Amino acid sequence: MPLTPYAADPGRSRGRRHPEAAAPTRSDFQRDRDRIVHSTAFRRLVYKTQVFLNHEGDLFRTRLTHSLEVAQLGRSIARNLQLNEDLVEAIALAHDLGHTPFGHAGQDALHACLKAHDAGSAGFEHNMQSLRVVDALEESYPDYNGLNLTFETREGILKHCSKRNALRLEAREPGGVARRFVEPLPAGPKWRQPSLEAQLANLADEIAYNAHDIDDGVRSGLLDLDQLDAVELFSQFRREALTIHPHLKDRRLLFDTIRRMLSAQVYDVMDATRAALENAAPQDADAVCQLPALVCFSDGMALQSTVLKRFLHANLYRHPQVVQTTQAAQQVVRDLFDAYMHDPAQMPQAHSDRFEGAEGVMSSHASDTKPERVVADYIAGMTDRFATREHARLTGSLAFAP
Ligand code: MG
């Protein structure tokens, strides 16, 4: 099926930071996706926490399976809306590459460590780190660091960015992927949007985690189905499932409810986005970016999705059991940070060399060449289980009960 005129077109890409000849059989966005799948950071996602720590059970989502679910939802919607599936997939598969071990707990701890070390530090942001992974930290290609992805994939990966980090990126790459966070539009909405494909990957992320966190929450025993009756987005499809299959129970009932809930959200995004596009009638992919976000839920679904999100925050992410493991995970990250800052030789040679090199150029003060950034990069790249083992090796204590 042909793509719409406002879909991202690899033939009109703003290109790569290091120019490369086109691949003979693949578009530039396909090539980005393939580079991401073959990267080291992508393989590590299999042992990184989504909500439940990796060692808590083999059946919970990990960052890898989460990213695959985001890619599936994103591609499905992209195909229907005649947007560029390959770009959506590339962004979806890369969007969480910068996550630390132990999910948001790990990220918060690492952010606090950087801030405590240097109050002027920009700290740690996972979107920035995902971009840093694909721009600088992967070491696979002969001529450059990073994966040398196209502008469009990189822009989609940088979903959010603090003003301060955006200014730093913009200084290094004027008019680049951070421009939309620092330069307001002259007319219309204040800020420029990324491509429809990036907007879609973003919304698919939300749809995916809302659904799978219910599944994992119930599977773990931290949530129960009766509690979920308070959430209309869930309970209406539970009723629907039971009307059609009155004897359905337990896991099959849960799965059927979530399946219906996912489908309803996917169809809702397709309809609402198609209506928004017809209404705004953008000329092309560039005009889209100067309009408010067009990939969206209907108002009704947006409200229902917010209610679900609030429910998960209150009942799952802040569940005492989750909070308890979160605190242990944060201690692991703090201890690792202190240990490596104190004795960089505890890191592998390449990292300790980089640390010593960074100490030697303290006068440059570019914050991503500082010694603490070397340590943060090393910790951020760890899987949950590697971080736990390193912690045990360095402190002699077990962070989590076996
Ligand atoms: Mg995600």
Side-chain angles (χ1 to χ4, degrees), residues 40 44 139 336 339-341 343-357 371 374-383 386-387 389-391 393-394:
T40 308
R44 288 193 186 124
E139 296 177 323
L336 289 178
Y340 298 134
M341 285 304 294
D343 184 6
Q346 293 298 331
M347 292 187 288
Q349 185 83 42
H351 290 84
S352 57
D353 285 354
R354 208 171 293 153
F355 184 100
E356 306 296 349
V374 176
V375 171
D377 285 340
Y378 182 53
I379 295 174
M382 292 179 180
T383 61
F386 182 76
R389 278 203 301 264
E390 269 295 274
H391 181 261
R393 178 180 76 80
L394 292 164

Side-chain angles (χ1 to χ4, degrees), residues 237-292:
F237 294 109
R238 186 184 179 210
R239 286 194 299 274
E240 188 180 285
L242 282 170
T243 305
I244 298 167
H245 307 285
H247 303 298
L248 214 52
K249 56 182 177 59
D250 303 332
R251 283 221 49 79
R252 280 182 207 257
L253 174 58
L254 178 64
F255 185 84
D256 202 57
T257 305
I258 291 174
R259 185 177 67 76
R260 289 168 191 278
M261 198 180 100
L262 277 175
S263 296
Q265 290 177 90
V266 164
Y267 295 136
D268 184 89
V269 173
M270 289 171 179
D271 292 343
T273 303
R274 194 171 284 113
L277 282 164
E278 269 165 29
N279 192 30
Q283 288 297 303
D284 54 23
D286 194 55
V288 160
C289 301
Q290 301 182 41
L291 295 166

Side-chain angles (χ1 to χ4, degrees), residues 50 63 66 95-96 205 209:
Q50 184 65 26
R63 289 267 165 217
H66 161 71
H95 84 283
D96 274 351
D205 184 23
Y209 66 66

